[in-house]
C-alpha cells in the first residue's frame, strides 16, 4: 500500500523546517501544504485540536504533532534510510538532551531578540550567545552533531540558522563573531540538498520578521 | 557498588517519574537526596547545563531530564514495557508526555517557579485558569474512550508524566486554599486518578502528603508575609 503523507507547514517556521529536512534526508515523498496562520484550515484544526499549530504530519490520515516527535516518528518508521538518532541508548539520550535544550532555549531567546529592546534585548542576546557556545562545545571537532553524518540534533538546530540574519539585524550584533564554529557547521549542513532545499533564504526571513514587527507594533 | 544512582528531591513530581519507572521495572538503585537550595557539587558536575534534578547516573554516565531518563530506562531495560512498541502509538504517547511536561511547570515545587501557592490575587487567578485549561484538555482529548490509563489498559510513561495531577495538585490546592479540581466536572480524570493511585508501585511510592502540606503552608506564609 502506498504511504500517503501530508505536511501542514508555514514556510518561515523552524519547526516545520525540521520535518522537511528529515523527510528529504530519507527521500520520503510527501505533499506539502502551506497554511495561512491568520486563517487556519479546517484540516489543521481537526488534526491538531489541542495546540492548533503547525507543523502537522498526516500519515495515512493519522496526525502526528510536535516537531521533535515528528522527526523521531519519521526516523522510526523509515529506519532503514539515513538514520538520524544514534543506535546506542546512551548516545540517544545525549542527542535527545541537546534537542530538548535547543527547544527550551533557542526559539524563546531568539524571539526575545527581535521583539524587545534595551536591557531586555541585551539579556536575550547574551543568553542566546551563551547557549550557542554550549552547543559549539557539544559539537567539538565533529563535522556534525551526529558525527560523520547529519543527525537528530543537526536537524533540530540548523533551521534556526535561517533566522540568524533577522536576529543579527534586530539585535545589532554578529553571531559569527561570537560563534564561528557554529556558523561553519551551519554552512556545512547547507551543502546538503536536504537542508538547502528546506531552509528559506535568510533575507526572506528577515523581510518576514520586519513585517511581523510592523503588524505587532514592535519598533 | 550501585550501578544505578538517582539524584532527586522528595518534593518533586519529576523525580517520582523516574522512581516509578525504575520500580515498575524492578531495577535496584541508590537514591541521593538533594537539598535544592544547596545543591551538591556532584549534581552540578553531572548536570552542568541545567543544574537540576532528577539525574540518573548509570555506570558513571549521567542522563538528565525527567522525560529523557524514562526513555533511556525503557531502552536498557525493556520489560515490562512503559511505552508502546508501535511507532504511531509511541508518537501519541510522546505528545502527551510533552504536553504534561510543558503544562505542569506551574505545579513544580521549586521556590522560583510555582505561582499557585506562592502568589495571590491576579497572579494566582492566571495560574488557576492555566491549570483548569490543562485539566480540560486532558479530560476532553487525552482520556476519550473511557480508557483506564492514558495508553489503554496498562500504566505507561504518559500516566507517570501526569503524576503531579494525581497527587501533588491536591496538596497545593489545600496549602493555597484553592479548589481547582472538582471531581464532578472531570469524571474521566477522576477515574484515572483513582486507577493510577491504585497501582501498587505508585501507591507505595508517593511523597508524604502531610509532610508536603506542612512545607508548602510554611513557604506560602513566609512569602505572603514578606510582600
Amino acid at each position: 500500500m502506498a504511504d500517503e503523507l501530508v505536511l501542514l507547514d508555514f514556510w518561515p517556521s523552524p519547526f516545520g523546517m525540521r520535518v522537511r529536512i528529515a523527510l528529504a534526508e530519507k527521500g520520503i515523498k510527501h505533499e506539502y501544504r502551506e497554511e495561512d496562520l491568520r486563517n487556519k484550515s479546517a484540516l489543521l484544526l481537526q488534526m491538531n485540536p489541542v495546540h492548533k499549530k503547525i507543523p502537522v504530519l498526516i500519515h495515512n490520515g493519522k496526525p502526528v504533532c510536535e516537531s521533535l516527535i515528528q522527526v523521531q516518528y519519521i526516523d522510526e518508521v523509515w529506519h532503514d534510510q539515513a538514520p538520524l538518532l544514534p543506535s546506542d541508548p546512551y548516545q540517544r539520550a545525549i542527542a535527545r538532551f541537546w534537542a530538548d535544550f535547543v527547544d527550551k532555549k533557542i526559539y524563546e531567546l531568539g524571539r526575545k531578540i527581535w521583539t524587545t529592546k534595551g536591557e531586555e534585548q541585551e539579556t536575550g542576546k547574551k543568553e542566546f550567545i551563551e547557549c550557542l557556545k554550549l552547543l559549539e562545545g557539544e559539537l567539538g571537532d565533529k563535522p556534525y552533531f551526529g558525527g560523520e553524518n547529519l543527525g537528530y540534533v543537526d536537524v533540530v538546530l540548523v533551521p534556526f540558522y535561517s533566522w540568524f540574519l533577522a536576529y543579527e539585524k534586530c539585535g545589532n550584533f554578529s553571531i559569527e563573531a561570537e560563534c564561528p564554529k557554529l556558523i561553519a557547521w551551519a554552512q556545512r549542513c547547507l551543502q546538503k540538498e536536504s537542508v538547502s532545499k528546506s531552509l528559506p533564504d535568510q533575507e526572506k526571513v528577515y523581510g518576514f520578521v520586519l513585517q511581523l514587527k510592523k503588524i505587532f507594533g514592535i519598533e | 557498588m550501585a550501578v544505578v544512582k538517582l539524584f532527586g528531591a522528595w518534593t518533586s513530581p519529576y523525580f517520582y517519574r523516574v522512581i516509578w519507572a525504575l520500580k515498575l521495572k524492578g531495577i535496584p538503585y541508590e537514591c541521593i537526596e538533594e537539598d535544592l537550595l544547596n545543591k551538591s557539587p556532584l549534581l552540578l558536575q553531572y548536570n552542568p547545563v541545567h543544574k537540576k534534578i532528577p539525574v540518573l547516573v548509570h555506570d558513571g554516565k549521567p542522563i538528565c531530564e525527567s522525560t529523557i531518563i524514562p526513555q533511556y530506562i525503557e531502552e536498557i531495560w525493556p520489560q515490562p514495557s512503559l511505552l508502546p512498541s508501535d511507532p504511531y502509538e509511541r508518537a501519541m504517547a510522546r505528545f502527551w508526555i510533552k504536553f504534561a511536561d510543558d503544562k505542569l511547570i506551574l505545579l513544580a515545587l521549586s521556590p522560583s517557579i510555582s505561582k499557585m501557592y506562592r502568589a495571590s490575587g491576579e497572579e494566582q487567578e492566571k495560574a488557576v485558569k492555566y491549570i483548569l485549561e490543562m485539566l480540560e484538555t486532558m479530560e476532553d482529548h487525552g482520556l476519550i474512550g473511557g480508557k483506564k490509563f492514558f495508553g489503554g489498559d496498562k500504566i505507561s510513561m504518559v500516566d507517570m508524566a501526569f503524576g503531579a495531577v494525581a497527587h501533588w495538585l491536591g496538596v497545593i490546592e489545600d496549602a493555597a486554599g484553592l479548589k481547582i479540581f472538582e471531581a464532578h466536572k472531570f469524571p474521566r480524570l477522576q477515574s484515572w486518578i483513582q486507577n493510577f493511585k491504585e497501582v501498587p508501585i505508585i501507591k507505595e511510592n508517593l511523597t508524604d502528603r502531610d509532610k508536603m502540606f506542612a512545607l508548602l503552608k510554611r513557604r506560602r506564609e513566609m512569602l505572603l508575609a514578606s510582600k
Side-chain angles (χ1 to χ4, degrees):
Chain A
M1 188 189 88
D3 272 320
E4 215 190 83
L5 265 171
V6 179
L7 176 64
L8 304 181
D9 200 348
F10 179 50
W11 70 268
S13 162
F15 307 103
M17 289 174 218
R18 291 168 173 173
V19 187
R20 289 173 228 165
I21 298 172
L23 290 168
E25 272 290 293
K26 292 173 185 273
I28 302 165
K29 283 178 74 175
H30 62 281
E31 181 196 335
Y32 178 96
R33 277 195 218 171
E34 187 73 24
E35 283 282 332
D36 175 359
L37 296 187
R38 291 161 299 177
N39 188 17
K40 292 174 181 176
S41 71
L43 183 65
L44 171 57
L45 300 177
Q46 180 199 334
M47 291 284 141
N48 191 357
V50 173
H51 300 300
K52 306 175 175 54
K53 285 180 175 175
I54 56 92
V56 179
L57 184 71
I58 310 171
H59 187 199
N60 295 330
K62 296 190 297 187
V64 181
C65 305
E66 299 294 324
S67 64
L68 292 190
I69 297 172
Q70 289 155 345
V71 174
Q72 290 184 78
Y73 175 76
I74 291 166
D75 205 38
E76 286 169 19
V77 174
W78 289 272
H79 49 84
D80 290 334
Q81 303 116 277
L84 294 170
L85 273 153
S87 48
D88 171 68
Y90 185 67
Q91 293 305 320
R92 249 207 301 273
I94 305 248
R96 285 186 175 129
F97 174 86
W98 288 105
D100 176 74
F101 175 81
V102 171
D103 246 23
K104 282 187 160 98
K105 304 279 188 184
I106 304 297
Y107 179 72
E108 281 310 320
L109 289 172
R111 194 165 193 281
K112 216 177 181 185
I113 295 172
W114 71 265
T115 56
T116 67
K117 280 168 79 173
E119 213 183 300
E120 215 187 325
Q121 191 189 52
E122 288 307 309
T123 312
K125 280 158 64 180
K126 185 169 164 279
E127 286 179 22
F128 182 75
I129 293 295
E130 275 167 12
C131 289
L132 292 188
K133 289 200 161 136
L134 274 172
L135 286 160
E136 275 187 329
E138 174 57 23
L139 179 65
D141 293 322
K142 307 193 294 282
Y144 305 101
F145 286 91
E148 293 303 311
N149 289 304
L150 218 58
Y152 185 55
V153 180
D154 302 279
V155 172
V156 167
L157 179 61
V158 82
F160 290 100
Y161 179 72
S162 65
W163 282 68
F164 277 11
L165 181 70
Y167 297 151
E168 285 175 325
K169 294 252 170 141
C170 295
N172 194 29
F173 71 128
S174 162
I175 298 173
E176 182 157 18
E178 304 275 358
C179 305
K181 266 179 82 175
L182 204 72
I183 300 296
W185 158 81
Q187 284 165 352
R188 198 175 300 130
C189 291
L190 276 164
Q191 298 296 316
K192 301 214 165 231
E193 210 181 308
S194 60
V195 178
S196 63
K197 292 231 160 121
S198 304
L199 262 56
D201 190 58
Q202 283 188 331
E203 287 285 354
K204 201 175 169 200
V205 173
Y206 178 46
F208 170 71
V209 169
L210 289 175
Q211 264 188 339
L212 279 182
K213 284 171 79 115
K214 244 196 215 157
I215 296 172
F216 293 117
I218 307 163
E219 281 161 46
Chain B
M1 189 188 87
V3 170
V4 177
K5 297 189 193 204
L6 180 62
F7 289 77
W10 68 273
T11 51
S12 165
Y14 300 102
F15 173 52
Y16 273 86
R17 281 178 188 171
V18 184
I19 292 181
W20 295 326
L22 290 167
K23 291 216 182 233
L24 281 163
K25 289 175 184 281
I27 302 158
Y29 64 97
E30 180 195 332
C31 194
I32 297 151
E33 182 75 23
E34 283 285 326
D35 173 0
L36 297 182
L37 299 172
N38 189 17
K39 292 170 182 174
S40 73
L42 203 54
L43 173 64
L44 301 178
Q45 181 197 317
Y46 281 134
N47 191 357
V49 174
H50 298 301
K51 306 175 175 52
K52 286 182 176 173
I53 58 97
V55 177
L56 185 85
V57 182
H58 183 210
D59 283 340
K61 298 179 293 190
I63 299 116
C64 309
E65 295 301 307
S66 70
T67 49
I68 294 173
I69 300 169
Q71 291 195 74
Y72 174 79
I73 292 171
E74 179 77 5
E75 288 170 16
I76 301 281
W77 297 278
Q79 298 304 330
S81 77
L82 294 173
L83 258 186
S85 49
D86 170 68
Y88 186 76
E89 294 304 316
R90 215 184 347 228
M92 289 313 303
R94 286 181 175 139
F95 174 87
W96 287 109
I97 291 169
K98 181 175 203 300
F99 178 85
D101 218 39
D102 291 344
K103 302 293 179 186
L104 287 173
I105 282 287
L106 278 190
L107 293 186
L109 300 185
S110 123
S112 57
I113 292 173
S114 178
K115 283 195 161 64
M116 290 240 306
Y117 73 91
R118 291 181 69 220
S120 53
E122 202 187 304
E123 246 196 8
Q124 193 185 58
E125 265 177 46
K126 263 171 78 176
V128 169
K129 183 166 172 281
Y130 189 79
I131 298 285
L132 267 172
E133 280 170 9
M134 175 194 71
L135 296 176
E136 280 160 9
T137 305
M138 285 168 75
E139 178 82 12
D140 298 336
H141 295 279
L143 288 165
I144 43 172
K147 296 180 289 189
K148 196 172 175 204
F149 298 104
F150 277 91
D153 291 322
K154 273 179 11 161
I155 191 172
S156 77
M157 262 183 235
V158 183
D159 306 285
M160 300 188 298
F162 281 114
V165 172
H167 187 66
W168 279 254
L169 178 58
V171 189
I172 293 175
E173 282 176 306
D174 290 347
L178 291 166
K179 191 66 194 152
I180 305 169
F181 179 81
E182 288 168 283
H184 66 275
K185 288 190 180 164
F186 300 100
R188 294 184 191 130
L189 253 182
Q190 173 67 356
S191 257
W192 170 77
I193 290 173
Q194 281 167 348
N195 293 332
F196 181 72
K197 288 173 107 160
E198 265 162 32
V199 174
I201 294 280
I202 305 294
K203 201 173 179 173
E204 294 154 23
N205 291 283
L206 285 172
T207 201
D208 187 319
R209 204 185 193 280
D210 294 332
K211 203 173 160 194
M212 200 163 44
F213 176 77
L215 174 72
L216 291 182
K217 203 108 179 91
R218 257 200 322 272
R219 272 194 201 163
R220 182 166 157 83
E221 274 154 22
M222 267 166 47
L223 284 155
L224 291 178
S226 67
K227 280 196 180 173

